[in-house]
Amino acid sequence: FETLDDLNGAAATMESLYQLPAYMGSIGGKQEIMIGYSDSAKDAGRLAASWAQYETQEKLAEVGKKYGIEQTFFHGKGGTVGRGGNPATFNAILAHAPDTINGRFRVTEQGEMINQNFGYASRAERTMDIYTAAVLTEQLKERRKPTQEWRDMMQKLSDISCDAYRRVVRGDERFVPYFRSATPEVELSSLNIGSRPAKRKASGGVESLRAIPWIFAWTQTRLNLPTWLGVGEAVSEVLASDEADKLREMYSGFESFKTTIDLVEMVLSKSEPSIAQHYDKTLVKDPLAQDLGSEVRSIHEKTENAVLDLTGHDTLTDGNPLLARVLQVRNPYVDCLNVLQAEVLKRIRDCESEEERKQLQDALMTTITGIANGMGNTG
């Protein structure tokens, strides 16, 4: 179950299956269900998708219990936050809805995260230790379930953020031209990256693009738009209302929501709108698309302010001093790679010589690899 509509209809779908005697006889009392994180986030935005995933697993767990099925959720996550990833594995597992893991947990590891978590024997052992400890803790620890008041608040945030996200990504006719000119999305499809085509079909807009190049393209330009778009509008609207105290209480007490906001804060700290602006100046020729780029960066700034207001932090790295130090050391090197990449993309798009194009594509691949490793949490 991958898109927002898929997730919302998952429980009814599985109940229909469990009512079929032939199906029940074939599964032997066990069922694995995949929860899609990438496409749901691309469809509705990170905040709306995370709440839909939470509620879906709760409802599916109830259906499984009703029919006496031992269910295992297969979490189809990527390394990036926009695809459901979370570098804090222990906290990520404990952020799942109570009574949905029950000692069984399956998850995908992709891209640079494979080497990061399993590249060496000691690393692999440490990673498996964390998974084991988290699954056991989740099973043995009494965990607080969200109150109805919090559920209503999450639904409100989800609706506002989803509308704001789709208004830009789906509703603004400038978006697709901007996305294709301001990021290396077009060039990524021609490079030997990934195991599947970048698009499900050759034509089409964002909806036809696979989630990996969708996230990867924005990561390369350091804007990370899919992860935070819509979050700021939802948080700021509630904070400006008479429900502000309720939202702050939920941030302190509801593990899943706090984890989501903290992840968005981490991604915002890694984002560099000034770098994205350089890509726009170098690559975007359409004045209307340039205007959208300015608007998106303004939304980014407002999202930063909203998240800082909610968390009570002075800076985006207040809660993560190690990340602050890493960014201080790493960013000057990655910044250079971004400047080089923007120039290489400009030359590729203006290039008429096939031999020169090949050399430029080799240079582009080098910058892509360097930026991906510098940003971390890719895949």
Side-chain angles (χ1 to χ4, degrees), residues 219-288:
T219 304
Q220 288 289 302
T221 66
R222 309 271 289 282
L223 193 57
N224 298 305
L225 176 142
T227 302
W228 52 261
L229 185 62
V231 176
E233 287 90 334
V235 170
S236 59
E237 182 172 325
V238 175
L239 285 177
S241 72
D242 56 5
E243 295 183 299
D245 289 342
K246 189 192 301 182
L247 182 61
R248 296 185 195 282
E249 178 194 338
M250 190 170 77
Y251 174 72
S252 301
F254 185 19
E255 242 173 336
S256 180
F257 177 63
K258 185 179 189 306
T259 297
T260 299
I261 294 298
D262 289 350
L263 282 171
V264 170
E265 184 178 42
M266 183 266 286
V267 170
L268 288 169
S269 71
K270 287 186 171 186
S271 303
E272 288 292 343
S274 60
I275 293 292
Q277 184 177 21
H278 177 71
Y279 277 79
D280 287 6
K281 288 180 178 177
T282 306
L283 301 171
V284 181
K285 297 177 181 177
D286 181 358
L288 293 176

Side-chain angles (χ1 to χ4, degrees), residues 47 153-161 234 238 247 250 257:
L47 185 57
M153 174 65 74
M154 284 303 305
Q155 193 57 54
K156 182 175 182 176
L157 291 168
S158 176
D159 291 342
I160 297 170
S161 67
V238 175
L247 182 61
M250 190 170 77
F257 177 63

